[in-house]
Amino acid sequence: MSDQNLLTRREFTVEWVLAVLAGATITITGCGGDDNNSNGVTNPTPQTGDKAGVISANHGHTVTVTAAQITAGNAVTATLTTGNGHTHTISLTAAQVVSIGQNQRVSGTSSTEAGHSHDVTFN
């Protein structure tokens, strides 16, 4: 792994503190050639009942499971919004969608695009 894909100690500490405060788990993974993991993009405010995912090594992606999808309780393939010129998808089983609706932690790995994937956690 090249040094340009490593988080600085400060970046890691900030991510760790935010994760602890949000009750999330951080998994450190590389994301090709991007020194700025956030690009100033944050998850949009979800609608009532929507659940936003926390994305590892993020560089502009967001992902949300909507209240309607949770109510339906079916399997879902959610798209991580465009970040650094590409998108990813994450497939969630019906059981995972129901668990997300019950505020249980659900984690999975996105599709591999642009040479990398992301771990996504819903709380």
Side-chain angles (χ1 to χ4, degrees):
M1 178 183 289
S2 70
D3 287 343
Q4 70 181 6
N5 291 334
L6 297 177
L7 291 174
T8 66
R9 184 175 296 190
R10 177 172 166 65
E11 290 171 323
F12 177 83
T13 301
V14 169
E15 291 294 329
W16 180 83
V17 168
L18 291 174
V20 168
L21 293 175
T25 302
I26 293 179
T27 303
I28 307 297
T29 59
C31 202
D34 187 11
D35 292 333
N36 179 356
N37 286 336
S38 69
N39 281 348
V41 177
T42 59
N43 278 350
T45 303
Q47 299 299 311
T48 302
D50 290 356
K51 302 290 183 175
V54 176
I55 303 168
S56 71
N58 197 5
H59 52 116
H61 298 294
T62 61
V63 65
T64 301
V65 176
T66 66
Q69 291 169 319
I70 292 168
T71 299
N74 296 322
V76 170
T77 298
T79 300
L80 282 66
T81 60
T82 302
N84 203 25
H86 63 276
T87 62
H88 300 270
T89 59
I90 183 166
S91 296
L92 301 167
T93 66
Q96 288 174 312
V97 172
V98 169
S99 292
I100 291 167
Q102 295 171 342
N103 296 319
Q104 297 175 1
R105 182 175 295 168
V106 172
S107 296
T109 303
S110 74
S111 61
T112 300
E113 306 297 335
H116 67 278
S117 63
H118 297 276
D119 293 322
V120 180
T121 302
F122 295 90
N123 290 310

